[in-house]
Amino acid sequence: MDHLKRFRPAAALLLLIAFGCSPASALPHPPNAASSTKEIAERLRAGLDEEHRVDPSLELLAPCQTGTGTEARLPPRGVPAYAAELRVAELPASLSARFWVTSPAQASVLLDASMRAADQCTRRSEGVVTGSTALDLEEPGWRAVQVLVTEPGSSDSGDVGTTATVVAARGPLLAEVSWYWPIEQGTRFDPHWVGQGDQAARSVLAAIGGAPARPAP
């Protein structure tokens, strides 16, 4: 996931790069939504993985290089942001998580741009296998889209793998959660990686979004 490890400075961005070390564990699901990056960091502390850092300024759905709409998918600048690599009980691999605390309108605009990009991403040819779906996250209270992209890991490597990415919004909270598996460990729609990854993404979002029955923050 080299594209997630690049770092680009973002002007006026309050960034918390969180890292630590702990075994995979279940995340708590507080009743109220987090309202700051400090709260987000505290709720995800149990799952922090010290090995990786994630670039919070990289465009949303970075694996979907559609040729159009990249600027529309740039995360909001000048707002609190959180980025980390996590290990949680629902998935035997790490997840990359990014959160921004912005306005409800901006979060909705960026999710809509991601949904358009997801649709374009499925239409690519050039030997890159893609697929997208509107992910049902009503239970944790988020509106979301998921994209699966299978491609070589880098231009100088023959390794092929799949990146699953979920972009979600709830009130002023904007989130992206992604995970990766090599083709040797499962096909693109392997139920182990897709299903357990979906559950892991739900767990992370539920830990931040609070009880779905309560109004969005």
Side-chain angles (χ1 to χ4, degrees):
M1 300 176 68
D2 293 339
H3 58 278
L4 291 174
K5 297 178 187 176
R6 290 177 290 165
F7 186 86
R8 302 175 189 171
L13 180 67
L14 172 60
L15 167 65
L16 298 179
I17 295 291
F19 59 97
C21 184
S22 72
S25 58
L27 295 173
H29 295 166
N32 297 315
S35 60
S36 68
T37 50
K38 183 178 180 180
E39 280 189 84
I40 292 172
E42 184 60 35
R43 293 184 185 192
L44 298 180
R45 189 178 305 281
L48 291 178
D49 186 338
E50 68 176 355
E51 270 190 69
H52 305 290
R53 298 185 181 189
V54 195
D55 177 4
S57 65
L58 196 64
E59 66 269 16
L60 297 165
L61 292 184
C64 274
Q65 300 299 324
T66 61
T68 60
T70 298
E71 286 296 319
R73 288 184 281 134
L74 289 176
R77 294 174 178 263
V79 304
Y82 169 93
E85 200 83 0
L86 305 171
R87 292 188 65 86
V88 296
E90 292 81 0
L91 185 71
S94 61
L95 300 94
S96 296
R98 302 192 293 169
F99 286 89
W100 298 266
V101 182
T102 182
S103 68
Q106 182 67 8
S108 182
V109 163
L110 285 164
L111 176 59
D112 289 344
S114 297
M115 288 180 168
R116 290 192 296 273
D119 179 61
Q120 294 174 17
C121 192
T122 64
R123 303 179 188 196
R124 288 187 61 192
S125 52
E126 304 171 5
V128 178
V129 182
T130 63
S132 71
T133 181
L135 193 62
D136 180 10
L137 291 176
E138 183 177 348
E139 183 179 345
W142 296 73
R143 190 165 63 100
V145 65
Q146 180 189 69
V147 171
L148 305 179
V149 177
T150 301
E151 60 184 344
S154 64
S155 59
D156 59 352
S157 171
D159 296 336
V160 176
T162 298
T163 301
T165 306
V166 173
V167 177
R170 174 166 163 77
L173 297 171
L174 177 68
E176 182 187 74
V177 181
S178 62
W179 62 102
Y180 173 89
W181 64 95
I183 200 70
E184 293 85 359
Q185 294 184 17
T187 62
R188 180 167 64 107
F189 290 112
D190 187 289
H192 172 76
W193 289 104
V194 178
Q196 288 192 252
D198 284 351
Q199 290 303 314
R202 289 171 187 272
S203 179
V204 171
L205 293 173
I208 304 305
R214 299 199 176 192

